[in-house]
Structure formats: C-alpha cells, structure tokens
Amino acid sequence: MSKQLQFKLVLLGESAVGKSSLVLRFVKDQFDDYRESTIGAAFLTQTVSLEDGTTVKFEIWDTAGQERYKSLAPMYYRSAACAICVYDITQSASLEKAKSWIRELQRQADPSIVIALCGNKADLSARRQVSQEEAQKFAEEEGLMWCETSAKTGEGVNEIFDRIAHKLPQV
Ligand code: GDP
Ligand code: MG
C-alpha cells in the first residue's frame, strides 16, 4: 500500500505580498486581481503525489499579515512541519519582514521545521527591488529553500510545494 503523509504548512509574510493568492493558485489553480484580505487565518488542504506513489496532504494555514494579528501566528506555526515566508520582489521592505519571520521561526518553531523563502510577483520583474542574488544568498546562509513565484501566472508555484514535499520526512 502506498504511503499517505499529512503535514501542516503555514504561510507567513507581510500583508499583500500574495500569500492567499499563492494558496489559491496551488489549491484551485485560480488567480484573482482583487482578493479580499485575509481575516485571522484561512485553512485549506491540497494533496500532491510523489513519484513513488506516496501522497502528501498539506494542511495549509494562510495567515493574515497585519500587525494586529501577529500575536496569533505562534498558534499556527507551533506545530507546523513547514513554513513558507513570502516577500514581494517589488517591495524590499517585505523581504526584511520575511527575514524577521524566519528569525522568529528559528527561535520559536519546531527545530525540524522546513522553511522556504519565497519571492512572489515574479511577473512584475520590471519593478523588481529585490535581486535574486540577494535573496538566494540569504537563504543559502540560513539553510533555507528559496524560490521565486508568480501566483498570477502560476510560475514556480507547484514547484515550491513539490520541493517542500520531497524535503519532509518520509516516515
Ligand atoms: P496576502 O495579503 O499576502 O494574502 O496577499 P493577497 O494574496 O491578498 O494579494 C495581494 C494583492 O497582490 C492582490 O491584489 C493580488 O491580486 C496581488 N498579487 C498576488 N500575487 C501576485 C502575483 O504573483 N503577481 C501579481 N502581479 N499580483 C499578485
Ligand atoms: Mg491573505
């Protein structure tokens, strides 16, 4: 019988970087230019199949980025197996925010948590403020996965969840 694994995943990052849009693309393969911002947190699931037939079910907590919800975040990342810290490649301040989430996870989350740093809105590269080199270098130094995505075009979205699924313990 093939294995069925289940993992809790949390999305963290500044408001409007595209966390909810990434989840919508991954779960429903849809995009919407005028998304209402998330209140508190939203819960969705999606299953991916690995080459050996193993299925990995992600239980996704899409958190709200606003400062007033910040105190709720530990509730979502405390028991998470993986976290995606999202920034917007057109807003360098959003990378600083993603870095501060990463530091918080490194201090407070389970030490085995798999963390991905994700630069979203790659379709807006004409307005880029964060270079690939800068983000990649930071990720490498911290031992994190790194990727760029566009929830709008779908570029890189399935790949990041797939890479995370492969990195999780296959027990
Ligand atoms: P969240 O607050 O981090 O959950 O961000 P949302 O998913 O609500 O997205 C904020 C805004 O950015 C919305 O207007 C989205 O349509 C837009 N957006 C999200 N992802 C992308 C992307 O990859 N490319 C572009 N061009 N816009 C995006
Ligand atoms: Mg949201």
Side-chain angles (χ1 to χ4, degrees):
M1 227 196 76
S2 56
K3 273 186 291 185
Q4 293 179 314
L5 307 173
Q6 206 163 303
F7 294 103
K8 193 170 148 185
L9 180 149
V10 65
L11 281 110
L12 297 164
E14 194 168 38
S15 200
V17 294
K19 298 176 297 298
S20 299
S21 299
L22 283 170
V23 177
L24 184 69
R25 173 62 75 190
F26 176 55
V27 172
K28 297 196 180 138
D29 200 18
Q30 289 171 5
F31 179 77
D32 153 10
D33 269 303
Y34 304 98
R35 279 201 65 69
E36 283 175 40
S37 58
T38 313
I39 312 278
F43 178 75
L44 291 107
T45 66
Q46 175 66 303
T47 302
V48 301
S49 304
L50 306 184
E51 299 74 13
D52 65 356
T54 302
T55 59
V56 176
K57 181 179 179 187
F58 285 110
E59 299 177 331
I60 304 169
W61 285 98
D62 169 25
T63 66
Q66 294 94 326
E67 221 32 61
R68 72 191 128 110
Y69 297 116
K70 197 175 182 320
S71 61
L72 297 177
M75 218 162 68
Y76 300 107
Y77 67 64
R78 202 172 291 132
S79 55
C82 36
I84 305 181
C85 295
V86 185
Y87 64 96
D88 171 348
I89 68 156
T90 73
Q91 303 289 339
S92 46
S94 71
L95 176 63
E96 295 314 308
K97 189 73 194 200
K99 287 180 180 177
S100 85
W101 280 117
I102 288 162
R103 282 189 291 273
E104 180 166 339
L105 291 172
Q106 288 169 336
R107 277 196 303 263
Q108 317 272 12
D110 189 300
S112 66
I113 191 167
V114 171
I115 304 174
L117 174 65
C118 174
N120 188 44
K121 309 199 186 180
D123 58 290
L124 300 179
S125 60
R127 283 161 42 193
R128 176 187 290 280
Q129 287 184 356
V130 180
S131 73
Q132 294 190 323
E133 293 70 28
E134 177 192 0
Q136 193 169 20
K137 180 164 173 283
F138 172 79
E140 249 164 49
E141 286 166 359
E142 299 295 323
L144 317 171
M145 300 168 80
W146 171 78
C147 64
E148 283 192 352
T149 54
S150 168
K152 185 162 186 168
T153 66
E155 176 196 339
V157 177
N158 287 341
E159 286 83 346
I160 188 60
F161 285 93
D162 212 56
R163 281 171 60 198
I164 292 171
H166 281 92
K167 215 171 170 195
L168 289 163
Q170 307 291 310
V171 280

